[in-house]
Amino acid sequence: MTVYTTMSSPLGELVLAGERAPAGTVLSALSVAGSGSAVVVGTQWARDDAAFASVRDQLDAYFAGERTRFEVDYAVGGSEFRRRVWQALDEIPYGRTTTYGRIAERIGAPRAAVRAVGAAIGANPVLIVRPCHRVIGANGSLTGYAGGLAGKRRLLELEHGTVARQPSSVAALPPCDGRPVRTDVPMYQL
């Protein structure tokens, strides 16, 4: 049976959905309510706040700057290509960024597969927990995010301890895989 809950966050209301399993609830979706890719709660779904208590606690701790990794069981689904891309996302450390091209290289895909990598990242059903917000453009600019570019910027700033300052360039962000991040490319303004 599909269960869901909602919770407040710095990005707005989050919708969490999952499937009940013998060992607990397996997270299958986490999205920002009202965004273009938000989970639509099904008529047969049951609200079950308790089923997501651990995930909610971990998200609260993340937003408070007290957690850098999640310990959540989530559904893996998707094609073999998507699963490889998503595994690469799971390996991006907290407070770091990388590019679509670097993800393509990491999974052994040709450079020409960057758009397919972007599509797989865009299909990530569990925002925040699977850190697709840590992927930026090759020139250091912010690019698409299912939770909105303002949300992506907020998450990156949170991870870099700059939420209060709200910098106007990527200068405050650490380099991608050791390469310097361009500081002459403006980021999305909140």
Side-chain angles (χ1 to χ4, degrees), residues 80-95:
E80 187 268 334
F81 180 80
R82 283 185 177 178
R83 287 193 307 273
R84 286 184 10 231
V85 170
W86 295 343
Q87 176 63 40
L89 292 177
D90 289 336
E91 295 168 2
I92 304 169
Y94 179 92

Side-chain angles (χ1 to χ4, degrees), residues 52-125:
F52 296 95
S54 175
V55 180
R56 291 169 59 130
D57 289 346
Q58 290 180 56
L59 286 164
D60 284 339
Y62 169 81
F63 290 127
E66 301 165 354
R67 178 176 276 278
T68 61
R69 296 191 59 82
F70 293 97
E71 296 172 15
V72 175
D73 290 327
Y74 51 84
V76 178
S79 68
E80 187 268 334
F81 180 80
R82 283 185 177 178
R83 287 193 307 273
R84 286 184 10 231
V85 170
W86 295 343
Q87 176 63 40
L89 292 177
D90 289 336
E91 295 168 2
I92 304 169
Y94 179 92
R96 302 288 296 196
T97 57
T98 193
T99 65
Y100 297 91
R102 294 277 185 184
I103 296 286
E105 289 173 15
R106 183 156 186 92
I107 67 167
R111 201 82 164 132
V114 170
R115 287 182 189 250
V117 166
I121 291 170
N124 173 20

Side-chain angles (χ1 to χ4, degrees), residues 11-69:
L11 304 181
E13 184 179 56
L14 300 179
V15 180
L16 294 79
E19 299 297 324
R20 287 195 177 127
T25 302
V26 177
L27 185 68
S28 59
L30 192 165
S31 64
V32 178
S35 67
S37 62
V39 173
V40 177
V41 176
T43 58
Q44 300 298 313
W45 294 11
R47 182 166 185 127
D48 187 347
D49 297 336
F52 296 95
S54 175
V55 180
R56 291 169 59 130
D57 289 346
Q58 290 180 56
L59 286 164
D60 284 339
Y62 169 81
F63 290 127
E66 301 165 354
R67 178 176 276 278
T68 61
R69 296 191 59 82

Side-chain angles (χ1 to χ4, degrees), residues 98-153:
T98 193
T99 65
Y100 297 91
R102 294 277 185 184
I103 296 286
E105 289 173 15
R106 183 156 186 92
I107 67 167
R111 201 82 164 132
V114 170
R115 287 182 189 250
V117 166
I121 291 170
N124 173 20
V126 286
L127 301 184
I128 307 164
V129 173
R130 182 181 289 136
C132 54
H133 61 276
R134 297 180 187 152
V135 182
I136 60 175
N139 65 359
S141 63
L142 291 187
T143 54
Y145 182 62
L149 289 179
K152 183 173 188 166
R153 180 185 183 95

